[in-house]
Amino acid sequence: MESLFNIWNSSYLDNVNFEILERKNRYANFDEFLAKHPDCCEIDPEGGYDTGPPNFIDRITGYDSGRRILFEFNEQYIDSDGNIRTEEIQIVDRLQNCGESYW
């Protein structure tokens, strides 16, 4: 989970509309993120997240364990008018056998 968080936290505008300029609150580390969003994350979430089955070569080489990570939380962004907007963020990713994010 922490590796996926680190990728997302360092990205600029994932999963938000183009008119939003910047994320209002970046996080110093994964612990700070979890403190603000304690129920954000799940491994192998229920609810039909369609990421498809792992392909054969990724599965046997360990690049895709067949398990999924779900992050679901609200995040604040600053739009082009300087207003703060809240967006619901949902990130679903695959896990490698080593526990790292597939992303």
Side-chain angles (χ1 to χ4, degrees), residues 43-86:
I43 294 180
D44 284 340
E46 302 220 5
Y49 297 96
D50 187 17
T51 55
N55 76 37
F56 179 71
I57 197 69
D58 285 348
R59 186 68 182 103
I60 64 170
T61 59
Y63 195 62
D64 188 339
S65 69
R67 306 205 59 172
R68 305 291 176 263
I69 304 172
L70 169 67
F71 281 13
E72 205 168 47
F73 57 96
N74 290 325
E75 183 64 280
Q76 292 181 327
Y77 293 87
I78 301 172
D79 69 16
S80 57
D81 296 326
N83 299 317
I84 297 172
R85 291 181 54 182
T86 300

Side-chain angles (χ1 to χ4, degrees), residues 4-102:
L4 179 59
F5 163 79
N6 289 333
I7 292 166
W8 172 80
N9 195 47
S10 64
S11 67
Y12 179 58
L13 287 176
D14 287 340
N15 299 321
V16 292
N17 298 327
F18 70 91
E19 73 270 6
I20 296 175
L21 295 179
E22 63 183 84
R23 197 176 293 149
K24 181 178 181 292
N25 48 343
R26 295 269 180 176
Y27 301 95
N29 55 43
F30 189 54
D31 292 333
E32 178 186 342
F33 173 77
L34 286 178
K36 291 182 179 179
H37 308 285
D39 298 323
C40 68
C41 313
E42 266 184 83
I43 294 180
D44 284 340
E46 302 220 5
Y49 297 96
D50 187 17
T51 55
N55 76 37
F56 179 71
I57 197 69
D58 285 348
R59 186 68 182 103
I60 64 170
T61 59
Y63 195 62
D64 188 339
S65 69
R67 306 205 59 172
R68 305 291 176 263
I69 304 172
L70 169 67
F71 281 13
E72 205 168 47
F73 57 96
N74 290 325
E75 183 64 280
Q76 292 181 327
Y77 293 87
I78 301 172
D79 69 16
S80 57
D81 296 326
N83 299 317
I84 297 172
R85 291 181 54 182
T86 300
E87 297 270 334
E88 183 177 312
I89 304 295
Q90 185 179 78
I91 303 168
V92 178
D93 194 31
R94 301 169 190 255
L95 281 174
Q96 297 179 37
N97 281 358
C98 65
E100 292 291 317
S101 168
Y102 180 89

